């Protein structure tokens, strides 16, 4: 239930991108000062809806005071992140940072081609839509997958002095897999069916949505993303995830949560209404999202263990 609602906004948002583009006069003129001014109102756009795209959302989820459940969860989550910080360091061991395919191996060629391909998809998506796609969870995940493919391809040629780049390579390992898993699962098995059944009440709307759903870029971002993530993070250089992997992914989740609540909510870009801080049940959706990350961590670790054993027997 939680993850279905967590994605509901992605549908209307992306479908809004298909509508004729409005002129520049329809775009609210915002500056950094609007967000930093302590005397300014919290919601900085009229009616809490960016360009009117989210007028379909109940007003009580767009404007008004936050539920006390939202800050309670955030404070608890931040405190938990601090308390559970891996000791003595959050850095990955040197041996783990050297887990990448050998130059000119089959997996190396895959990562090189995968990097160029995912970069091409980013380019075509930007041409078809707008840079606002980078505000979405989906395309932030896709960008991370693209970056990790690139580092995997470049790693064999980099000296050990590129220490931080190797650390980023490992930090992105579980991050790419968990975000791709969440995107793939929610879009295909929750969001898409809900939009089709509840949001498309005519045959014309259903046909348009199916055409939209199977568009080239969305098939890449929502169907094949999990394939690219698995090939890069597991097949190319398999290892079991450790607690540091999970902790780093929780930090990135917190970063996106704060970005969504402190920036996107204020500018009326309600991509994921179920995470509205104005609803008392938001503490349930926030908690379920964290639980989804933890379940993904243990689930993929079991599959990776079997894959490593099978690969060892085969070799």
């Amino acid at each position: 239930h939680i993850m279905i609602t967590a994605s509901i906004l992605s549908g209307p948002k992306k479908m809004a991108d298909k509508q004729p583009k409005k002129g520049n006069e329809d775009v609210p003129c915002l500056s950094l000062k609007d967000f930093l001014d302590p005397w300014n109102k919290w919601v900085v756009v009229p009616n809490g809806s960016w360009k009117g795209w989210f007028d379909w959302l109940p007003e009580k989820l767009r404007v008004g005071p936050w539920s006390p459940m939202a800050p309670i969860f955030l404070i608890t989550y931040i405190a938990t992140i601090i308390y559970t910080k891996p000791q003595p360091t959050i850095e990955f061991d040197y041996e783990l940072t050297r887990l990448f395919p050998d130059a000119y191996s089959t997996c190396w060629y895959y990562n090189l081609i995968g990097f160029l391909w995912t970069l091409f998809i980013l380019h075509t998506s930007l041409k078809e839509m707008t840079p606002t796609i980078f505000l979405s969870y989906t395309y932030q995940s896709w960008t991370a997958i693209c970056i990790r493919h690139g580092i995997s391809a470049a790693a064999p040629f980099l000296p050990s002095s590129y220490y931080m780049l190797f650390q980023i390579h490992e930090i992105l390992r579980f991050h790419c897999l968990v975000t791709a898993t969440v995107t793939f699962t929610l879009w295909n098995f929750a969001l898409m069916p809900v939009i089709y059944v509840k949001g498309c009440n005519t045959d014309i709307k259903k046909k348009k949505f199916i055409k939209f759903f199977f568009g080239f870029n969305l098939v890449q971002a929502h169907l094949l993303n999990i394939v690219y993530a698995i090939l890069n993070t597991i097949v190319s250089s398999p290892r079991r995830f450790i607690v540091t992997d999970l902790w780093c992914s929780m930090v990135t989740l917190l970063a996106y949560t704060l970005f969504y609540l402190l920036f996107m909510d204020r500018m009326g870009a309600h991509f994921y209404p179920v995470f509205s801080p104005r609803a008392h049940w938001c503490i349930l959706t926030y908690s379920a999202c964290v639980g989804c990350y933890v379940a993904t961590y243990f689930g993929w670790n079991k599959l990776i263990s079997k894959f490593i054993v099978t690969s060892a027997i085969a070799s």
Side-chain angles (χ1 to χ4, degrees):
H1 161 70
I2 173 167
M3 299 319 292
I4 289 179
T5 35
S7 301
I8 280 218
L9 183 277
S10 294
K13 162 66 176 64
K14 291 184 176 69
M15 293 180 75
D17 287 336
K18 288 292 182 178
Q19 298 175 355
K21 293 183 179 180
K22 299 183 179 181
N24 292 333
E25 66 275 10
D26 296 321
V27 181
C29 296
L30 300 177
S31 65
L32 183 60
K33 181 180 178 181
D34 294 316
F35 294 93
L36 299 180
D37 185 356
W39 305 109
N40 197 13
K41 55 186 179 181
W42 179 257
V43 179
V44 296
V45 297
N47 205 29
S49 176
W50 176 262
K51 297 175 65 175
W53 284 353
F54 301 94
D55 289 348
W56 55 273
L57 188 66
E59 186 176 358
K60 63 181 180 180
L61 297 181
R62 289 185 276 117
V63 295
W66 283 17
S67 164
M69 295 295 102
I72 288 175
F73 174 85
L74 288 175
I75 293 173
T76 303
Y77 187 33
I78 293 173
T80 302
I81 290 292
I82 296 173
Y83 181 75
T84 58
K85 177 185 174 183
Q87 299 295 334
T89 176
I90 63 172
E91 295 181 354
F92 290 91
D93 294 338
Y94 177 80
E95 292 76 12
L96 294 182
T97 64
R98 309 307 295 179
L99 293 176
F100 46 77
D102 294 331
Y104 309 115
S105 63
T106 301
C107 288
W108 179 85
Y109 277 112
Y110 160 72
N111 281 301
L112 176 62
I113 296 172
F115 168 68
L116 296 175
W117 179 252
T118 51
L119 188 63
F120 169 74
I121 297 301
L122 274 180
H123 173 70
T124 56
S125 297
L126 282 170
K127 289 182 63 177
E128 180 180 336
M129 293 177 272
T130 69
T132 56
I133 61 174
F134 290 114
L135 298 178
S136 70
Y137 183 90
T138 296
Y139 275 94
Q140 288 192 19
S141 171
W142 184 270
T143 302
I145 292 173
C146 177
I147 292 173
R148 194 173 195 280
H149 274 80
I151 298 177
S152 295
F157 307 102
L158 299 176
S160 57
S161 58
Y162 283 78
Y163 173 76
M164 287 307 302
L165 193 62
F166 292 129
Q167 288 289 327
I168 292 173
H169 185 246
E170 287 309 303
I171 290 173
L172 290 178
R173 181 184 292 269
F174 181 65
H175 173 77
C176 289
L177 190 59
V178 69
T179 55
T181 301
V182 169
T183 300
F184 174 83
T185 304
L186 295 184
W187 177 259
N188 296 293
F189 302 105
L191 175 60
M192 192 278 285
V194 167
I195 294 177
Y196 184 81
V197 174
K198 298 294 185 179
C200 302
N201 52 12
T202 66
D203 291 338
I204 295 178
K205 287 183 178 181
K206 289 181 179 179
K207 289 180 180 179
K208 287 184 176 180
F209 179 71
I210 290 298
K211 182 179 179 180
F212 164 77
F213 177 74
F214 287 104
F216 176 73
N217 286 327
L218 288 191
V219 167
Q220 295 292 322
H222 292 130
L223 282 171
L224 298 180
N225 64 328
I226 189 68
V227 176
Y228 303 139
I230 291 173
L231 289 174
N232 175 257
T233 63
I234 299 178
V235 177
S236 292
S237 54
R239 74 162 172 83
R240 282 178 56 86
F241 296 120
I242 59 177
V243 174
T244 303
D245 291 298
L246 178 60
W247 188 84
C248 288
S249 72
M250 289 301 186
V251 172
T252 60
L253 177 62
L254 174 62
Y256 186 78
T257 300
L258 293 175
F259 171 73
Y260 184 81
L261 294 178
L262 302 181
F263 178 72
M264 293 178 63
D265 178 75
R266 298 188 65 187
M267 63 183 288
H270 305 282
F271 282 20
Y272 312 103
V274 71
F275 292 126
S276 172
R278 296 169 184 83
H280 293 306
W281 38 258
C282 69
I283 193 170
L284 299 178
T285 58
Y286 297 162
S287 300
C289 191
V290 173
C292 187
Y293 269 55
V294 175
T296 301
Y297 170 82
F298 286 107
W300 276 115
N301 253 353
K302 287 185 178 181
L303 294 176
I304 291 171
S305 296
K306 294 180 180 179
F307 175 78
I308 293 176
V309 171
T310 303
S311 298
I313 295 176
S315 60

